[in-house]
Amino acid sequence: MAERKTGEAKNLDAIVVGGGLAGLYALHRLHRMGLRALILEAGRSIGGTWFWNRYPGARCDVESLEYSYSFSDELQQEWVWPERFAAQPDILRYINHVADRLALRPFILTDARVVSAVFDPGTDRWTVTTAGEVFQAPFCIMATGNLSLPRLPPFRGLESFKGNWYHSGLWPEEGVDFSGRRVGVIGTGSSGIQMIPIIAEQAGHLVVFQRTANFSVPAENRPITPELDRSHKERYRYWRDEARRTPFGIAGHPPPTRSALEDAPEQRARVYEEKWGTGGNISFLYAYNDLLVNRQANETAAEFVRNKIRSIVRDPKVAELLMPRDHPIGTKRLCLDNGYFETFNRDNVTLVDVRSDPIAEITPSGLRTRTRAFELDDIAFATGFDAMTGALLNIDISVDGGPRLGDKWAHGPRTYLGLMTAGFPNLFMITGPGSPSVKSNMIASIEQHVDWIADCLRHLGDKGLKGIEPDEGAESSWVEHVNAVADATLYPQANSWYNGANIAGKPRVFMPYVAGLDKYRKICDEVAANDYRGFSLKR
Ligand SMILES: Cc1cc2nc3c(=O)[nH]c(=O)nc-3n(C[C@H](O)[C@H](O)[C@H](O)COP(=O)(O)OP(=O)(O)OC[C@H]3O[C@@H](n4cnc5c(N)ncnc54)[C@H](O)[C@@H]3O)c2cc1C
């Protein structure tokens, strides 16, 4: 990886913070425009999510042929995905391949965590500081990720634990061997659900500490055959165009046209059974057109999954605990699994309900709930992230003599289009709060944002403009619109990381824009076509 540590302030056209899928594509686009740009990445290497999340079973839940860059036909033709849902090592390999193919490495500084970014309105420049270096540029692009600040709840006694502990989002690069060990997994969201079946196979005994039962549907993961690879690639352009016309940025799933309530129960069961067998979360949630807007319709899908859990898990008490009842299906990330519920039939797996019997403390030899003690050699925390705003607010972002982002967002993030925030000129966010982001195929969202930002910078350059900033009024209207769209759905009924409910004290604001990436793309294009409506451009 590049090492260009001169200690001097560097004059650049743009600074990109973050070397994941977003930062790398941003760097590539900026270079193609002839701009001098650099990535500052906190990690030892590039890859973002796919560098940090190396826990057993980590893989994408959007099919690999879709969850990949579409901007280069060469890239998409030459890369071969081995599985329907690629595993973390394959995605990381792909990202490294892209960085090499696009010759990006000399322009990436790793081990470079940005601690502050300050805008000087006098010179119209951002000064971006890492632990040891200072960089300057008129534009700063935050590609810091939506799920990149791991969250570790403040468990009493953790420092006293004599065993090893790990967080899913900071997993050791050398891997962990759980063979024969007594392991505790805390958390049963996406990461927990992915790692639990695999750790169970290795561990002597696995104790799963569950606070919230989550819905999960089978991945039906399988190898991609050479025939499928070939036939998909023959029509890649068509599939990508299709994906652009969908709300989630994912092709191959025709939008449903019927309400779940239009079908008789037997017919509905057949539809859900077919979706369950197909595998995949989009497929399942696309069974009917009202699953995310009508509670009664949603309940039919939720009850189908609960019945599946009843039929898979042999111990009825355990099955009951695993059945989600506190949120509509799909309003938290619908997990994809490979044998998750089956895992609880194993003799070496114990499920502990920490909602009724909360974790009191971590002890030197394990963990104690209010009523029981567990001896553990290892603890794996699958407790998620300070999502969507965490990594941004972890940087001290301010305007010299003006506002701090942390103060402005004290009651929740405010953005215009999830791309910029008023009062902070020339600061872009990729997949920021208020954009479809995590409610879409993230690579599709990343490409759309990067393309919009690159076109915007070209426009500013062509017109000899110094900067861009959203108007307060446009921002307020956008924030209201994002909320109104969410309020028309069932999403706000769940306590989830979509609305900050997973972090004590975090403001409860629904952050993703859920009208769909297709509609959102049109809005962004119209804004640009109308001379960047809602933005002020600086001469
Ligand atoms: C386990 C897991 C599975 C996922 N599966 C899917 C999926 O199937 N489909 C999907 O669409 N999305 C998925 N996601 C979401 C995933 O985050 C995105 O798809 C995508 O990888 C985001 O890329 P990014 O570049 O925006 O952010 P990231 O990949 O998070 O990269 C951000 C980078 O910024 C760096 N950074 C942050 N703060 C600083 C700082 N202060 N200074 C310097 N560098 C900094 C981080 O170290 C990180 O490398 C998943 C996420 C997780 C955690």
Side-chain angles (χ1 to χ4, degrees):
M1 200 57 52
E3 290 288 338
R4 296 202 324 190
K5 305 212 168 185
T6 63
E8 299 159 17
K10 292 152 190 95
N11 273 316
L12 298 156
D13 295 314
I15 296 165
V16 179
V17 185
L21 287 157
L24 295 177
Y25 181 47
L27 181 66
H28 172 64
R29 276 298 316 257
L30 297 173
H31 280 173
R32 266 186 20 204
M33 289 163 59
L35 299 180
R36 286 165 306 166
L38 188 70
I39 286 180
L40 301 174
E41 164 55 51
R44 187 195 58 74
S45 187
I46 57 169
T49 288
W50 305 105
F51 172 79
W52 297 107
N53 290 264
R54 295 162 186 263
Y55 59 83
R59 59 177 71 245
C60 56
D61 59 14
V62 171
E63 293 186 44
S64 315
L65 289 162
E66 303 278 326
Y67 186 71
S68 47
Y69 289 123
S70 72
F71 68 85
S72 155
D73 196 44
E74 259 180 356
L75 266 184
Q76 66 188 12
Q77 291 296 336
E78 73 193 10
W79 187 258
V80 178
W81 290 108
E83 290 179 278
R84 181 184 186 193
F85 296 102
Q88 172 271 331
D90 288 320
I91 305 175
L92 188 58
R93 222 163 31 84
Y94 168 74
I95 295 173
N96 277 285
H97 167 78
V98 172
D100 289 332
R101 283 292 265 113
L102 303 178
L104 300 177
R105 289 193 196 272
F107 308 96
I108 302 169
L109 284 189
T110 51
D111 293 318
R113 179 173 293 281
V114 170
V115 290
S116 72
V118 183
F119 184 74
D120 178 352
T123 59
D124 290 308
R125 295 180 85 71
W126 281 95
T127 297
V128 174
T129 308
T130 65
E133 290 186 282
V134 180
F135 303 83
Q136 287 191 333
F139 297 97
C140 181
I141 300 174
M142 292 295 177
T144 45
N146 289 140
L147 298 167
S148 54
L149 189 65
R151 161 188 173 264
L152 188 66
F155 288 113
R156 189 148 57 99
L158 180 57
E159 67 296 338
S160 74
F161 183 53
K162 296 266 189 301
N164 307 309
W165 65 265
Y166 312 93
H167 189 287
S168 59
L170 289 171
W171 206 260
E173 282 187 54
E174 63 280 11
V176 180
D177 182 6
F178 290 113
S179 300
R181 294 173 71 83
R182 299 167 302 175
V183 184
V185 171
I186 301 180
T188 52
S190 269
S191 302
I193 283 178
Q194 287 188 333
M195 71 170 74
I196 284 165
I198 297 177
I199 296 180
E201 279 171 15
Q202 291 178 9
H205 197 90
L206 170 65
V207 188
V208 175
F209 298 93
Q210 172 190 275
R211 187 177 60 180
T212 308
N214 270 302
F215 289 102
S216 184
V217 297
E220 293 297 328
N221 190 30
R222 53 182 168 262
I224 293 180
T225 60
E227 293 72 38
L228 174 60
D229 181 68
R230 199 174 322 111
S231 66
H232 198 91
K233 284 176 176 172
E234 274 167 15
R235 304 186 71 206
Y236 230 142
R237 172 84 33 92
Y238 165 83
W239 289 119
R240 298 296 196 187
D241 287 346
E242 276 286 288
R244 276 174 163 250
R245 284 192 277 271
T246 67
F248 299 107
I250 300 172
H253 302 282
T257 51
R258 289 174 71 74
S259 157
L261 305 177
E262 282 176 58
D263 277 350
E266 308 76 47
Q267 172 60 11
R268 249 192 334 250
R270 273 195 292 277
V271 169
Y272 289 138
E273 192 64 50
E274 198 262 320
K275 296 285 183 183
W276 182 270
T278 306
N281 42 19
I282 294 289
S283 166
F284 194 81
L285 291 174
Y286 257 23
Y288 292 106
N289 64 10
D290 52 356
L291 294 184
L292 292 171
V293 291
N294 180 322
R295 186 76 200 230
Q296 210 190 333
N298 183 285
E299 185 52 27
T300 64
E303 192 51 21
F304 174 85
V305 175
R306 290 189 206 110
N307 277 331
K308 281 287 178 193
I309 298 171
R310 272 186 200 103
S311 71
I312 295 170
V313 180
R314 285 198 287 272
D315 181 334
K317 282 200 196 109
V318 175
E320 188 55 42
L321 279 180
L322 288 167
M323 286 179 213
R325 298 199 180 272
D326 68 348
H327 62 280
I329 186 169
T331 55
K332 290 162 81 116
R333 194 172 182 93
L334 178 58
C335 303
L336 272 199
D337 72 85
N338 293 286
Y340 175 65
F341 294 116
E342 289 82 349
T343 299
F344 293 91
N345 291 332
R346 295 177 67 105
D347 292 337
N348 71 332
V349 175
T350 305
L351 179 67
V352 176
D353 173 29
V354 297
R355 190 174 292 268
S356 63
D357 187 14
I359 296 175
E361 62 176 347
I362 312 282
T363 62
S365 61
L367 182 158
R368 213 171 50 72
T369 64
R370 206 180 279 158
T371 65
R372 295 164 73 187
F374 298 89
E375 297 288 303
L376 300 171
D377 301 313
D378 302 303
I379 301 177
F381 292 96
T383 44
F385 301 89
D386 184 348
M388 315 226 29
T389 53
L392 281 167
L393 293 177
N394 207 27
I395 302 173
D396 188 4
I397 300 174
S398 65
V399 172
D400 208 6
R404 297 197 112 70
L405 189 64
D407 294 335
K408 176 176 172 182
W409 286 8
H411 302 293
R414 296 179 64 76
T415 70
Y416 181 37
L417 301 170
L419 276 161
M420 298 190 86
T421 184
F424 296 80
N426 297 1
L427 178 76
F428 294 96
M429 291 166 275
I430 302 181
T431 66
S435 73
S437 58
V438 292
K439 289 312 302 168
S440 66
N441 170 358
M442 285 285 286
I443 303 191
S445 272
I446 284 168
E447 288 189 332
Q448 185 264 337
H449 261 193
V450 170
D451 290 342
W452 192 93
I453 293 167
D455 291 346
C456 173
L457 293 187
R458 189 192 305 280
H459 176 82
L460 298 179
D462 289 350
K463 302 269 177 202
L465 297 165
K466 285 197 182 136
I468 178 166
E469 182 190 339
D471 302 331
E472 293 275 1
E475 179 168 288
S476 295
S477 307
W478 183 253
V479 170
E480 272 172 35
H481 174 61
V482 170
N483 283 322
V485 171
D487 287 344
T489 71
L490 301 177
Y491 285 111
Q493 295 187 19
N495 289 328
S496 72
W497 53 261
Y498 295 148
N499 60 13
N502 65 327
I503 307 275
K506 187 164 172 170
R508 288 286 287 271
V509 175
F510 193 81
M511 293 180 277
Y513 179 57
V514 290
L517 182 55
D518 50 346
K519 288 205 179 76
Y520 173 79
R521 184 191 301 276
K522 277 200 192 113
I523 296 171
C524 290
D525 289 349
E526 275 166 25
V527 164
N530 285 286
D531 208 15
Y532 290 89
R533 191 181 57 221
F535 288 97
S536 295
L537 306 180
K538 186 173 176 188
R539 302 223 154 261

